[in-house]
Amino acid sequence: MKSLMKKVFAAAAAIATVFGLAATTVATANAADNATLTVSTTDAKFAGKTVNAYKMFSATVSSDGKAVSHTLTDKWKPFFKDSVGLNGATDENINDKANDYVSKLTGNDLVAFATKASNWAQNTANGITADATATVSADASNGKYTATFTGLDYGYYVVAVPGATLANANSQYATLVSVHSTSVNADIKGALPTVVKTVNGESATSAKIGDPLTFTLTSTIPDMSAYSTYTFNFKDTLSKGLSFKQVDSVKVGDTILTKDTDYTVSTSEGSDKNTLLTVTMLNFKNQQTNAGKTITVTYTATLNKDAVVGGHGNTNSATIQYSNNPSTGGTGESEPSKVRVFTYGFTVDKYTGDNYDDAATRLAGAEFTLTPKNDSTPISFVRVNAGSATENAVYRVAKADETGTTTIITPENGKVEFQGLKNGEYTLTETKAPAGYNKLASAIGVKVDGQNNGTDTTNATVTITYNNNNGSVYNQTASNGVIPVQNKSGAILPGTGGMGTIAFTVIGVLVIALGVAWTLKRKNA
């Protein structure tokens, strides 16, 4: 008899300690079922998102809160029978088997179970709905974005954010949480689709107008188990200063996908003359076997004549449009990933006089070429503005399909702007001086050094340094990007030959002749 009683109490204790909770007595009726569950995250991408809570097991907690028993809800029985595949599970024993199965899960097995449970719950084919829904706060409090469920029954819940079907840093997709008291806290699990964009392999770069640029969009294939179909599109916005050329490749891992079979490409013009690029994935659900692998889009574009010079640069941003609700077929959009392409310039101020100031005389008609350092081919420019007594002349780098000029001419106000240059060293050569002035004896070395902070919206910092002997040491800084270039007027130099000496000789002979004649006249008198 004693042996039988020990077995009865042992069985009761085992049920009471399911999921690792210590039991000191057989559970009794709950004192109250009015629990609050607060889930939180530090990830701002979850702000405003919906969170669903699915009750897998109901719970009965003892009056002292030290013992808990769990009962599998009817709607979750098919999950354990069909998806988990418990051996020998029947309607009569499914509760005990499910309790036993979950209580023994640890580590990666528990994480995998949470993923499977979350996907099963969200799959509309299984016909269950969330027991409670909450919304993540739009603003962080104490560094966290929170969603609060109130009035919950005690139980064991699967908590998931629709669309968060990518593993987080701990390889988790969903939260499993025991609600056994009136106030419970847990973390939001999983990650939302994101995209990382680079230009020439960086978050920002410099280029001259007409340069080709390579953009790469990188994302991760989500787990689409909960979905019958899945939307996954790359959406890219190129600023007005960037001209789209073509999509070079779309890859899953190292496998190249086929255009018009696996994806399509479309472009349209935005409201401010920018380019809207969309790479639409076709039959993306077929990529389920590649969940967790990277997917990359590579395309090329060029910096064009509308490029912003300096300033905040030419911004290019991309997002992922993705399915975020298997029940409604809704979609969400990732946070944008931005890159910036910068192009720079400087100004030459041609003057004469001993002092460089506003009162100095400016010179028109000086001609220059600009060549990359250690290169013999001058850069071709398009004249945007010829300049005047009050306006600077403006020249920008010519694109490959434009007819430009390599000769830059200063206007009446002496100032000419060189625009559309990338970082680097250049040689500025005066090829012709204004009439009446001596040409510079040496070329001028110019260094363009633009610094920027990638995706921030602050302006770039551009430093223009130069030297007057085209050397490698740039020992002078151009204030506000202006390089003063002085010309000196030509001096009147002495000459030989011509009529000058002949005239003096003739005059001398005449003087002598007149003197002789006068002397002879006096003798004869």
Side-chain angles (χ1 to χ4, degrees), residues 170-203:
N170 297 316
S171 299
Q172 298 187 36
Y173 288 31
T175 303
L176 296 174
V177 56
S178 296
V179 179
H180 296 159
S181 61
T182 56
S183 181
V184 179
N185 296 306
D187 293 328
I188 292 174
K189 305 296 184 183
L192 296 164
T194 59
V195 62
V196 175
K197 183 168 190 172
T198 60
V199 53
N200 291 351
E202 302 175 311
S203 62

mmCIF file of all heavy atoms in Angstrom, residues 170-203:
data_model
loop_
_atom_site.group_PDB
_atom_site.id
_atom_site.type_symbol
_atom_site.label_atom_id
_atom_site.label_comp_id
_atom_site.label_asym_id
_atom_site.label_seq_id
_atom_site.Cartn_x
_atom_site.Cartn_y
_atom_site.Cartn_z
ATOM 1 N N ASN A 170 20.536 35.114 -31.196
ATOM 2 C CA ASN A 170 20.578 33.840 -30.474
ATOM 3 C C ASN A 170 19.881 32.724 -31.236
ATOM 4 O O ASN A 170 19.518 31.698 -30.660
ATOM 5 C CB ASN A 170 19.931 34.002 -29.090
ATOM 6 C CG ASN A 170 20.684 34.986 -28.220
ATOM 7 O OD1 ASN A 170 21.908 34.958 -28.176
ATOM 8 N ND2 ASN A 170 19.962 35.864 -27.544
ATOM 9 N N SER A 171 19.686 32.932 -32.544
ATOM 10 C CA SER A 171 19.058 31.929 -33.424
ATOM 11 C C SER A 171 17.635 31.605 -33.011
ATOM 12 O O SER A 171 17.178 30.477 -33.184
ATOM 13 C CB SER A 171 19.910 30.649 -33.461
ATOM 14 O OG SER A 171 21.197 30.928 -33.968
ATOM 15 N N GLN A 172 16.920 32.583 -32.457
ATOM 16 C CA GLN A 172 15.549 32.347 -32.025
ATOM 17 C C GLN A 172 14.576 33.135 -32.886
ATOM 18 O O GLN A 172 14.860 34.252 -33.301
ATOM 19 C CB GLN A 172 15.379 32.728 -30.554
ATOM 20 C CG GLN A 172 16.269 31.886 -29.625
ATOM 21 C CD GLN A 172 15.976 32.157 -28.169
ATOM 22 O OE1 GLN A 172 14.822 32.378 -27.792
ATOM 23 N NE2 GLN A 172 17.009 32.126 -27.350
ATOM 24 N N TYR A 173 13.418 32.537 -33.131
ATOM 25 C CA TYR A 173 12.378 33.160 -33.941
ATOM 26 C C TYR A 173 11.210 33.636 -33.081
ATOM 27 O O TYR A 173 10.540 34.584 -33.447
ATOM 28 C CB TYR A 173 11.804 32.164 -34.941
ATOM 29 C CG TYR A 173 12.686 31.778 -36.092
ATOM 30 C CD1 TYR A 173 14.061 31.724 -35.986
ATOM 31 C CD2 TYR A 173 12.123 31.437 -37.311
ATOM 32 C CE1 TYR A 173 14.857 31.349 -37.041
ATOM 33 C CE2 TYR A 173 12.906 31.051 -38.383
ATOM 34 C CZ TYR A 173 14.277 31.010 -38.244
ATOM 35 O OH TYR A 173 15.050 30.632 -39.304
ATOM 36 N N ALA A 174 10.934 32.955 -32.007
ATOM 37 C CA ALA A 174 9.733 33.243 -31.222
ATOM 38 C C ALA A 174 10.030 33.041 -29.742
ATOM 39 O O ALA A 174 11.026 32.421 -29.362
ATOM 40 C CB ALA A 174 8.579 32.347 -31.653
ATOM 41 N N THR A 175 9.131 33.565 -28.916
ATOM 42 C CA THR A 175 9.284 33.478 -27.469
ATOM 43 C C THR A 175 8.346 32.417 -26.905
ATOM 44 O O THR A 175 7.163 32.382 -27.249
ATOM 45 C CB THR A 175 8.952 34.837 -26.817
ATOM 46 O OG1 THR A 175 9.790 35.831 -27.379
ATOM 47 C CG2 THR A 175 9.158 34.802 -25.319
ATOM 48 N N LEU A 176 8.857 31.568 -26.048
ATOM 49 C CA LEU A 176 8.038 30.655 -25.249
ATOM 50 C C LEU A 176 8.063 31.192 -23.822
ATOM 51 O O LEU A 176 9.127 31.386 -23.243
ATOM 52 C CB LEU A 176 8.611 29.234 -25.270
ATOM 53 C CG LEU A 176 8.629 28.540 -26.640
ATOM 54 C CD1 LEU A 176 9.347 27.197 -26.535
ATOM 55 C CD2 LEU A 176 7.224 28.342 -27.164
ATOM 56 N N VAL A 177 6.910 31.469 -23.264
ATOM 57 C CA VAL A 177 6.880 32.101 -21.947
ATOM 58 C C VAL A 177 5.810 31.478 -21.068
ATOM 59 O O VAL A 177 4.680 31.235 -21.511
ATOM 60 C CB VAL A 177 6.655 33.625 -22.081
ATOM 61 C CG1 VAL A 177 5.391 33.945 -22.862
ATOM 62 C CG2 VAL A 177 6.653 34.302 -20.730
ATOM 63 N N SER A 178 6.174 31.224 -19.826
ATOM 64 C CA SER A 178 5.240 30.699 -18.830
ATOM 65 C C SER A 178 4.620 31.865 -18.073
ATOM 66 O O SER A 178 5.338 32.666 -17.466
ATOM 67 C CB SER A 178 5.965 29.779 -17.844
ATOM 68 O OG SER A 178 6.470 28.641 -18.510
ATOM 69 N N VAL A 179 3.306 31.973 -18.146
ATOM 70 C CA VAL A 179 2.586 33.017 -17.413
ATOM 71 C C VAL A 179 1.939 32.343 -16.210
ATOM 72 O O VAL A 179 0.858 31.758 -16.306
ATOM 73 C CB VAL A 179 1.534 33.709 -18.309
ATOM 74 C CG1 VAL A 179 0.772 34.777 -17.523
ATOM 75 C CG2 VAL A 179 2.202 34.322 -19.524
ATOM 76 N N HIS A 180 2.651 32.412 -15.072
ATOM 77 C CA HIS A 180 2.206 31.715 -13.865
ATOM 78 C C HIS A 180 1.971 32.673 -12.712
ATOM 79 O O HIS A 180 1.750 32.242 -11.578
ATOM 80 C CB HIS A 180 3.249 30.676 -13.427
ATOM 81 C CG HIS A 180 3.440 29.577 -14.418
ATOM 82 N ND1 HIS A 180 4.571 28.788 -14.457
ATOM 83 C CD2 HIS A 180 2.641 29.128 -15.427
ATOM 84 C CE1 HIS A 180 4.463 27.911 -15.446
ATOM 85 N NE2 HIS A 180 3.303 28.094 -16.035
ATOM 86 N N SER A 181 2.058 33.998 -13.014
ATOM 87 C CA SER A 181 1.830 34.999 -11.978
ATOM 88 C C SER A 181 1.174 36.209 -12.620
ATOM 89 O O SER A 181 1.007 36.275 -13.843
ATOM 90 C CB SER A 181 3.155 35.394 -11.314
ATOM 91 O OG SER A 181 4.045 35.952 -12.268
ATOM 92 N N THR A 182 0.817 37.179 -11.809
ATOM 93 C CA THR A 182 0.054 38.314 -12.332
ATOM 94 C C THR A 182 0.894 39.277 -13.157
ATOM 95 O O THR A 182 0.344 40.105 -13.884
ATOM 96 C CB THR A 182 -0.591 39.086 -11.177
ATOM 97 O OG1 THR A 182 0.421 39.482 -10.253
ATOM 98 C CG2 THR A 182 -1.634 38.219 -10.465
ATOM 99 N N SER A 183 2.202 39.199 -13.072
ATOM 100 C CA SER A 183 3.064 40.092 -13.850
ATOM 101 C C SER A 183 4.279 39.321 -14.343
ATOM 102 O O SER A 183 5.066 38.815 -13.542
ATOM 103 C CB SER A 183 3.507 41.279 -12.993
ATOM 104 O OG SER A 183 4.323 42.163 -13.765
ATOM 105 N N VAL A 184 4.413 39.249 -15.659
ATOM 106 C CA VAL A 184 5.503 38.487 -16.275
ATOM 107 C C VAL A 184 6.149 39.346 -17.360
ATOM 108 O O VAL A 184 5.458 40.058 -18.097
ATOM 109 C CB VAL A 184 4.985 37.173 -16.893
ATOM 110 C CG1 VAL A 184 6.130 36.399 -17.565
ATOM 111 C CG2 VAL A 184 4.311 36.312 -15.829
ATOM 112 N N ASN A 185 7.468 39.268 -17.455
ATOM 113 C CA ASN A 185 8.218 39.985 -18.490
ATOM 114 C C ASN A 185 8.979 38.999 -19.365
ATOM 115 O O ASN A 185 9.451 37.962 -18.878
ATOM 116 C CB ASN A 185 9.207 40.965 -17.861
ATOM 117 C CG ASN A 185 8.522 42.062 -17.074
ATOM 118 O OD1 ASN A 185 7.659 42.756 -17.602
ATOM 119 N ND2 ASN A 185 8.894 42.217 -15.811
ATOM 120 N N ALA A 186 9.083 39.323 -20.646
ATOM 121 C CA ALA A 186 9.825 38.468 -21.579
ATOM 122 C C ALA A 186 10.368 39.336 -22.711
ATOM 123 O O ALA A 186 9.959 40.483 -22.893
ATOM 124 C CB ALA A 186 8.922 37.365 -22.134
ATOM 125 N N ASP A 187 11.298 38.783 -23.460
ATOM 126 C CA ASP A 187 11.887 39.489 -24.591
ATOM 127 C C ASP A 187 11.245 39.049 -25.899
ATOM 128 O O ASP A 187 10.866 37.878 -26.065
ATOM 129 C CB ASP A 187 13.393 39.224 -24.677
ATOM 130 C CG ASP A 187 14.150 39.836 -23.509
ATOM 131 O OD1 ASP A 187 13.704 40.889 -23.023
ATOM 132 O OD2 ASP A 187 15.167 39.249 -23.096
ATOM 133 N N ILE A 188 11.121 39.983 -26.819
ATOM 134 C CA ILE A 188 10.667 39.651 -28.163
ATOM 135 C C ILE A 188 11.792 38.919 -28.883
ATOM 136 O O ILE A 188 12.940 39.355 -28.866
ATOM 137 C CB ILE A 188 10.264 40.925 -28.930
ATOM 138 C CG1 ILE A 188 9.006 41.536 -28.303
ATOM 139 C CG2 ILE A 188 10.044 40.635 -30.416
ATOM 140 C CD1 ILE A 188 8.622 42.879 -28.898
ATOM 141 N N LYS A 189 11.466 37.829 -29.535
ATOM 142 C CA LYS A 189 12.461 37.048 -30.267
ATOM 143 C C LYS A 189 12.263 37.230 -31.770
ATOM 144 O O LYS A 189 11.245 37.719 -32.232
ATOM 145 C CB LYS A 189 12.351 35.561 -29.908
ATOM 146 C CG LYS A 189 12.435 35.256 -28.419
ATOM 147 C CD LYS A 189 13.771 35.630 -27.828
ATOM 148 C CE LYS A 189 13.855 35.227 -26.361
ATOM 149 N NZ LYS A 189 15.115 35.652 -25.744
ATOM 150 N N GLY A 190 13.250 36.771 -32.495
ATOM 151 C CA GLY A 190 13.159 36.840 -33.944
ATOM 152 C C GLY A 190 13.701 38.147 -34.477
ATOM 153 O O GLY A 190 14.010 39.082 -33.736
ATOM 154 N N ALA A 191 13.830 38.217 -35.789
ATOM 155 C CA ALA A 191 14.314 39.428 -36.458
ATOM 156 C C ALA A 191 13.498 39.654 -37.719
ATOM 157 O O ALA A 191 13.039 38.707 -38.354
ATOM 158 C CB ALA A 191 15.799 39.295 -36.808
ATOM 159 N N LEU A 192 13.330 40.912 -38.066
ATOM 160 C CA LEU A 192 12.600 41.274 -39.277
ATOM 161 C C LEU A 192 13.563 41.359 -40.457
ATOM 162 O O LEU A 192 14.751 41.633 -40.281
ATOM 163 C CB LEU A 192 11.907 42.625 -39.074
ATOM 164 C CG LEU A 192 10.832 42.655 -37.986
ATOM 165 C CD1 LEU A 192 10.504 44.088 -37.607
ATOM 166 C CD2 LEU A 192 9.579 41.931 -38.449
ATOM 167 N N PRO A 193 13.069 41.122 -41.662
ATOM 168 C CA PRO A 193 13.938 41.251 -42.839
ATOM 169 C C PRO A 193 14.572 42.641 -42.919
ATOM 170 O O PRO A 193 13.924 43.651 -42.636
ATOM 171 C CB PRO A 193 12.979 41.004 -44.007
ATOM 172 C CG PRO A 193 11.931 40.108 -43.441
ATOM 173 C CD PRO A 193 11.734 40.608 -42.031
ATOM 174 N N THR A 194 15.823 42.668 -43.284
ATOM 175 C CA THR A 194 16.557 43.919 -43.450
ATOM 176 C C THR A 194 17.355 43.857 -44.752
ATOM 177 O O THR A 194 17.466 42.793 -45.372
ATOM 178 C CB THR A 194 17.539 44.158 -42.291
ATOM 179 O OG1 THR A 194 18.467 43.069 -42.231
ATOM 180 C CG2 THR A 194 16.798 44.281 -40.968
ATOM 181 N N VAL A 195 17.896 44.984 -45.132
ATOM 182 C CA VAL A 195 18.774 45.034 -46.296
ATOM 183 C C VAL A 195 19.966 45.911 -45.946
ATOM 184 O O VAL A 195 19.839 46.900 -45.232
ATOM 185 C CB VAL A 195 18.041 45.584 -47.547
ATOM 186 C CG1 VAL A 195 17.560 47.007 -47.315
ATOM 187 C CG2 VAL A 195 18.931 45.506 -48.778
ATOM 188 N N VAL A 196 21.129 45.500 -46.422
ATOM 189 C CA VAL A 196 22.354 46.293 -46.251
ATOM 190 C C VAL A 196 22.827 46.688 -47.639
ATOM 191 O O VAL A 196 23.004 45.840 -48.517
ATOM 192 C CB VAL A 196 23.450 45.506 -45.518
ATOM 193 C CG1 VAL A 196 24.741 46.313 -45.475
ATOM 194 C CG2 VAL A 196 23.000 45.145 -44.114
ATOM 195 N N LYS A 197 23.024 47.985 -47.824
ATOM 196 C CA LYS A 197 23.413 48.488 -49.133
ATOM 197 C C LYS A 197 24.830 49.045 -49.093
ATOM 198 O O LYS A 197 25.226 49.695 -48.119
ATOM 199 C CB LYS A 197 22.445 49.592 -49.574
ATOM 200 C CG LYS A 197 22.732 50.135 -50.957
ATOM 201 C CD LYS A 197 21.595 50.994 -51.435
ATOM 202 C CE LYS A 197 21.778 51.319 -52.911
ATOM 203 N NZ LYS A 197 20.632 51.988 -53.487
ATOM 204 N N THR A 198 25.595 48.792 -50.142
ATOM 205 C CA THR A 198 26.926 49.363 -50.269
ATOM 206 C C THR A 198 27.108 49.926 -51.677
ATOM 207 O O THR A 198 26.421 49.525 -52.608
ATOM 208 C CB THR A 198 28.033 48.324 -50.009
ATOM 209 O OG1 THR A 198 27.907 47.247 -50.950
ATOM 210 C CG2 THR A 198 27.954 47.771 -48.590
ATOM 211 N N VAL A 199 28.037 50.865 -51.799
ATOM 212 C CA VAL A 199 28.410 51.400 -53.106
ATOM 213 C C VAL A 199 29.919 51.221 -53.230
ATOM 214 O O VAL A 199 30.679 51.683 -52.378
ATOM 215 C CB VAL A 199 27.984 52.873 -53.280
ATOM 216 C CG1 VAL A 199 28.481 53.768 -52.141
ATOM 217 C CG2 VAL A 199 28.465 53.401 -54.630
ATOM 218 N N ASN A 200 30.329 50.508 -54.253
ATOM 219 C CA ASN A 200 31.737 50.150 -54.431
ATOM 220 C C ASN A 200 32.302 49.517 -53.162
ATOM 221 O O ASN A 200 33.456 49.729 -52.779
ATOM 222 C CB ASN A 200 32.569 51.365 -54.823
ATOM 223 C CG ASN A 200 32.244 51.864 -56.221
ATOM 224 O OD1 ASN A 200 31.517 51.230 -56.971
ATOM 225 N ND2 ASN A 200 32.776 53.019 -56.579
ATOM 226 N N GLY A 201 31.447 48.745 -52.494
ATOM 227 C CA GLY A 201 31.863 48.012 -51.303
ATOM 228 C C GLY A 201 31.889 48.823 -50.030
ATOM 229 O O GLY A 201 32.308 48.317 -48.985
ATOM 230 N N GLU A 202 31.422 50.074 -50.056
ATOM 231 C CA GLU A 202 31.477 50.950 -48.887
ATOM 232 C C GLU A 202 30.121 51.594 -48.642
ATOM 233 O O GLU A 202 29.216 51.508 -49.465
ATOM 234 C CB GLU A 202 32.535 52.034 -49.090
ATOM 235 C CG GLU A 202 33.938 51.502 -49.340
ATOM 236 C CD GLU A 202 34.929 52.610 -49.649
ATOM 237 O OE1 GLU A 202 34.616 53.453 -50.519
ATOM 238 O OE2 GLU A 202 35.990 52.626 -49.017
ATOM 239 N N SER A 203 30.012 52.254 -47.480
ATOM 240 C CA SER A 203 28.767 52.968 -47.183
ATOM 241 C C SER A 203 28.725 54.326 -47.862
ATOM 242 O O SER A 203 27.662 54.937 -47.986
ATOM 243 C CB SER A 203 28.613 53.146 -45.667
ATOM 244 O OG SER A 203 29.676 53.926 -45.145
#
